[in-house]
Short mmCIF file of all heavy atoms in Angstrom, two decimals:
data_model
loop_
_atom_site.label_atom_id
_atom_site.label_comp_id
_atom_site.label_asym_id
_atom_site.label_seq_id
_atom_site.Cartn_x
_atom_site.Cartn_y
_atom_site.Cartn_z
N ALA A 10 -46.41 1.58 4.12
CA ALA A 10 -45.05 2.02 3.82
C ALA A 10 -44.74 3.38 4.41
O ALA A 10 -43.60 3.68 4.73
CB ALA A 10 -44.84 2.05 2.32
N PRO A 43 -41.35 36.45 -12.10
CA PRO A 43 -42.13 36.72 -13.33
C PRO A 43 -42.56 35.44 -14.03
O PRO A 43 -41.85 34.43 -13.98
CB PRO A 43 -41.16 37.53 -14.20
CG PRO A 43 -39.82 37.38 -13.58
CD PRO A 43 -39.99 36.97 -12.16
N GLU A 68 -42.21 14.58 0.88
CA GLU A 68 -40.87 14.52 1.45
C GLU A 68 -40.82 13.50 2.58
O GLU A 68 -39.87 12.74 2.73
CB GLU A 68 -40.47 15.90 1.98
CG GLU A 68 -39.08 15.91 2.60
CD GLU A 68 -38.62 17.31 2.98
OE1 GLU A 68 -38.96 18.27 2.27
OE2 GLU A 68 -37.90 17.42 3.99
N ALA A 146 9.19 9.91 -6.73
CA ALA A 146 9.60 11.29 -7.03
C ALA A 146 8.41 12.23 -7.25
O ALA A 146 8.45 13.39 -6.86
CB ALA A 146 10.49 11.30 -8.27
N GLU A 171 8.72 3.37 -25.10
CA GLU A 171 8.62 3.87 -26.48
C GLU A 171 9.53 5.08 -26.70
O GLU A 171 10.12 5.23 -27.76
CB GLU A 171 7.16 4.21 -26.82
CG GLU A 171 6.38 2.92 -27.09
CD GLU A 171 4.90 3.14 -27.39
OE1 GLU A 171 4.45 4.30 -27.41
OE2 GLU A 171 4.21 2.13 -27.59
N ASN A 190 -5.30 -6.78 -12.52
CA ASN A 190 -3.93 -6.66 -13.08
C ASN A 190 -3.86 -7.16 -14.52
O ASN A 190 -3.49 -6.39 -15.42
CB ASN A 190 -2.91 -7.40 -12.21
CG ASN A 190 -2.66 -6.74 -10.85
OD1 ASN A 190 -1.82 -7.16 -10.07
ND2 ASN A 190 -3.41 -5.69 -10.53
N SER A 193 -5.86 -4.86 -16.84
CA SER A 193 -5.19 -3.58 -17.14
C SER A 193 -4.06 -3.79 -18.15
O SER A 193 -3.83 -2.95 -19.02
CB SER A 193 -4.62 -2.95 -15.87
OG SER A 193 -5.65 -2.74 -14.94
N ALA A 216 11.05 -19.78 -11.81
CA ALA A 216 10.06 -19.57 -12.88
C ALA A 216 10.17 -18.15 -13.41
O ALA A 216 10.06 -17.92 -14.62
CB ALA A 216 8.66 -19.84 -12.34
N ILE A 267 1.99 -1.85 5.09
CA ILE A 267 3.40 -1.46 5.18
C ILE A 267 3.62 0.03 5.42
O ILE A 267 4.76 0.49 5.47
CB ILE A 267 4.18 -1.87 3.91
CG1 ILE A 267 3.57 -1.20 2.66
CG2 ILE A 267 4.21 -3.38 3.74
CD1 ILE A 267 4.51 -1.23 1.46
N ALA A 318 -0.95 20.10 -10.22
CA ALA A 318 -0.78 21.33 -9.45
C ALA A 318 0.69 21.44 -9.02
O ALA A 318 1.26 20.45 -8.54
CB ALA A 318 -1.68 21.31 -8.23
N VAL A 337 -6.18 11.41 -17.66
CA VAL A 337 -6.83 10.12 -17.42
C VAL A 337 -8.13 10.32 -16.64
O VAL A 337 -8.74 9.36 -16.17
CB VAL A 337 -5.90 9.11 -16.69
CG1 VAL A 337 -4.74 8.73 -17.58
CG2 VAL A 337 -5.42 9.66 -15.35
N ASN A 343 -11.00 12.70 -8.36
CA ASN A 343 -12.10 12.76 -7.39
C ASN A 343 -11.63 13.58 -6.19
O ASN A 343 -11.16 13.05 -5.18
CB ASN A 343 -12.54 11.34 -6.99
CG ASN A 343 -13.32 10.69 -8.12
OD1 ASN A 343 -13.85 11.37 -8.99
ND2 ASN A 343 -13.38 9.38 -8.12
N ASP A 360 4.17 8.72 12.59
CA ASP A 360 4.09 7.69 13.64
C ASP A 360 2.74 6.99 13.61
O ASP A 360 2.63 5.78 13.75
CB ASP A 360 4.24 8.32 15.03
CG ASP A 360 5.67 8.70 15.29
OD1 ASP A 360 6.51 8.40 14.43
OD2 ASP A 360 5.93 9.32 16.35
N GLY A 361 1.69 7.82 13.43
CA GLY A 361 0.33 7.27 13.42
C GLY A 361 0.13 6.33 12.24
O GLY A 361 -0.52 5.29 12.37
N LEU A 371 -0.99 -6.96 13.21
CA LEU A 371 -1.20 -7.66 14.49
C LEU A 371 -2.59 -8.30 14.52
O LEU A 371 -2.74 -9.47 14.90
CB LEU A 371 -1.06 -6.65 15.64
CG LEU A 371 -1.25 -7.19 17.06
CD1 LEU A 371 -0.14 -8.20 17.39
CD2 LEU A 371 -1.24 -6.06 18.09
N ASP A 385 -8.01 -24.56 8.29
CA ASP A 385 -6.66 -24.67 7.74
C ASP A 385 -6.24 -23.32 7.21
O ASP A 385 -6.94 -22.71 6.40
CB ASP A 385 -6.64 -25.68 6.58
CG ASP A 385 -6.88 -27.10 7.08
OD1 ASP A 385 -6.47 -27.38 8.23
OD2 ASP A 385 -7.49 -27.90 6.35
N ALA A 411 -16.83 -22.61 1.24
CA ALA A 411 -16.45 -21.29 1.77
C ALA A 411 -17.66 -20.35 1.75
O ALA A 411 -17.90 -19.60 2.71
CB ALA A 411 -15.32 -20.71 0.91
#
Side-chain angles (χ1 to χ4, degrees):
E68 180 173 326
E171 283 178 0
N190 290 184
S193 301
I267 59 163
V337 293
N343 286 339
D360 286 356
L371 180 65
D385 292 329

